[in-house]
Amino acid sequence: MKYAVVVDSTTKLRKEFLKKIEDKVEVITIPVRVYIDDKEYEDSEEVSEKIIEALKEEKKLETSLPLITKVEETFEELSNKYQYVYVLSVSSLLSGTYNLFNTIASKYENIIVFDSKTVSIQNTYIFERMITDILNGKILEENDIISYRDDSLFLISVFDLKRLNKSGRIGKISSIIGQMIHIKPILTVARTGEVELVGKSLSTKKLIELMISKFESFIEKNKVEGQENYVLYAAVGSDDYKQYVYEIFNHFNIKPVFLEIGPAIMVHVGLHGFGILIARGV
């Protein structure tokens, strides 16, 4: 293998996809840190239940960057082992992870760090596009990451805004969110990498209609002759919200692919809501 790809743990990877590429590209996940009442944990599947309980009990929850020593050791090992090491980071406007990765990677000529300018399941999609092009012999550049991102639309709705209000990750819309009592917002991550409010509704029915409309507009705007294969990924705060996801998936007659939100993201958005990504097929 000539290649390795590094992602932070906010990018949840599909096991089926990883199995297909396991002998071709090494994939390394570097965990961000999660704190419950000031006790430190690594972002992992094992800590998810602890986060869920902490959210229900309204305990103090925070996240922090990956351990510097972990990043340094990983980059040193991979730089010596591979011809190319690509690193995909969560949006630099939502986390300091990109700056940490980039600073350490600057010591190595063969490690390239990309700012995804997004998070969660949109990062999953970008990762899969990266791997597909790597295996086709492509040398990746920043414009490729932008192109993958533009081939997808990520919409999020949060039904309980308490966690978002406490989060420092929502930039300019924090004051708007704070005023939206009983209103269900539709959020996205803009091309700049910031969270953006793109719609709102008082009823769940109208919310679903708005989301479907935005996905339909995306498909119409991005039509390419002979390329009509689309995928839909979803992440839910709890199983209670799967019914809304199925309603949207059924409209497009596409089988749903569910991915974990993950502890680090859950800390900031809570359990009450869902996110859906529609994208050109990989």
Side-chain angles (χ1 to χ4, degrees):
M1 291 189 289
K2 294 193 300 182
Y3 308 100
V5 177
V6 179
V7 294
D8 64 76
S9 60
T10 62
T11 302
K12 295 306 170 186
L13 308 178
R14 292 195 299 135
K15 291 177 182 176
E16 314 85 64
F17 187 84
L18 291 177
K19 189 172 181 180
K20 286 196 299 184
I21 63 159
E22 62 184 351
D23 296 326
K24 300 168 186 173
V25 180
E26 183 173 359
V27 178
I28 298 92
T29 299
I30 296 181
V32 300
R33 288 172 288 168
V34 178
Y35 292 87
I36 304 174
D37 281 345
D38 298 322
K39 185 176 179 179
E40 181 181 312
Y41 301 88
E42 285 191 342
D43 179 358
S44 65
E45 290 182 15
E46 289 72 25
V47 81
S48 291
E49 288 301 318
K50 293 181 185 293
I51 297 294
I52 291 170
E53 287 304 311
L55 285 166
K56 290 176 180 177
E57 295 171 16
E58 298 189 356
K59 291 183 177 180
K60 181 182 177 184
L61 287 166
E62 296 177 308
T63 58
S64 186
L65 302 181
L67 279 171
I68 294 175
T69 52
K70 174 73 172 177
V71 180
E72 288 174 334
E73 290 168 4
T74 301
F75 284 13
E76 176 71 18
E77 179 184 345
L78 295 177
S79 177
N80 292 326
K81 189 176 178 182
Y82 293 102
Q83 184 176 353
Y84 296 102
V85 180
Y86 296 111
V87 183
L88 181 67
S89 171
V90 61
S91 170
S92 59
L93 293 181
L94 299 177
S95 169
T97 302
Y98 170 77
N99 290 331
L100 171 62
F101 285 168
N102 205 37
T103 298
I104 297 172
S106 65
K107 304 171 188 174
Y108 306 96
E109 291 186 0
N110 61 336
I111 299 183
I112 305 166
V113 181
F114 296 120
D115 180 355
S116 72
K117 298 192 183 298
T118 187
V119 71
S120 191
I121 56 179
Q122 195 164 35
N123 261 21
T124 304
Y125 174 73
I126 291 171
F127 163 80
E128 293 185 6
R129 288 287 300 271
M130 286 173 66
I131 297 292
T132 301
D133 276 356
I134 287 169
L135 293 179
N136 287 327
K138 188 175 182 61
I139 306 300
L140 298 181
E141 299 178 355
E142 191 72 40
N143 284 342
D144 295 310
I145 307 304
I146 295 168
S147 173
Y148 305 150
R149 194 189 182 290
D150 288 348
D151 278 345
S152 62
L153 175 62
F154 182 30
L155 297 180
I156 309 134
S157 187
V158 182
F159 285 44
D160 183 338
L161 303 174
K162 284 187 291 188
R163 288 307 310 173
L164 269 181
N165 275 326
K166 290 179 180 178
S167 170
R169 305 299 200 272
I170 56 174
K172 297 179 211 174
I173 69 163
S174 57
S175 60
I176 300 172
I177 291 289
Q179 298 166 23
M180 293 177 66
I181 300 170
H182 305 307
I183 296 178
K184 300 171 180 63
I186 300 175
L187 308 172
T188 192
V189 185
R191 266 181 126 233
T192 59
E194 294 178 290
V195 177
E196 179 179 72
L197 179 68
V198 293
K200 53 186 184 292
S201 172
L202 280 170
S203 72
T204 303
K205 180 181 178 182
K206 182 64 176 175
L207 177 85
I208 299 303
E209 289 173 357
L210 281 170
M211 283 186 144
I212 288 172
S213 175
K214 289 184 182 298
F215 285 136
E216 286 178 333
S217 296
F218 169 80
I219 291 172
E220 184 62 32
K221 183 181 175 182
N222 292 276
K223 269 187 178 177
V224 176
E225 190 69 32
Q227 293 184 21
E228 297 180 0
N229 175 33
Y230 284 89
V231 294
L232 280 91
Y233 295 165
V236 295
S238 70
D239 286 348
D240 296 340
Y241 297 95
K242 280 190 174 180
Q243 60 179 309
Y244 307 125
V245 173
Y246 280 117
E247 194 171 336
I248 293 171
F249 279 25
N250 289 340
H251 178 86
F252 292 99
N253 196 28
I254 300 176
K255 185 179 178 180
V257 177
F258 285 97
L259 294 159
E260 296 269 338
I261 287 183
I265 301 297
M266 209 181 292
V267 165
H268 296 291
V269 301
L271 300 172
H272 302 287
F274 62 92
I276 297 180
L277 174 99
I278 189 165
R280 194 176 304 287
V282 177

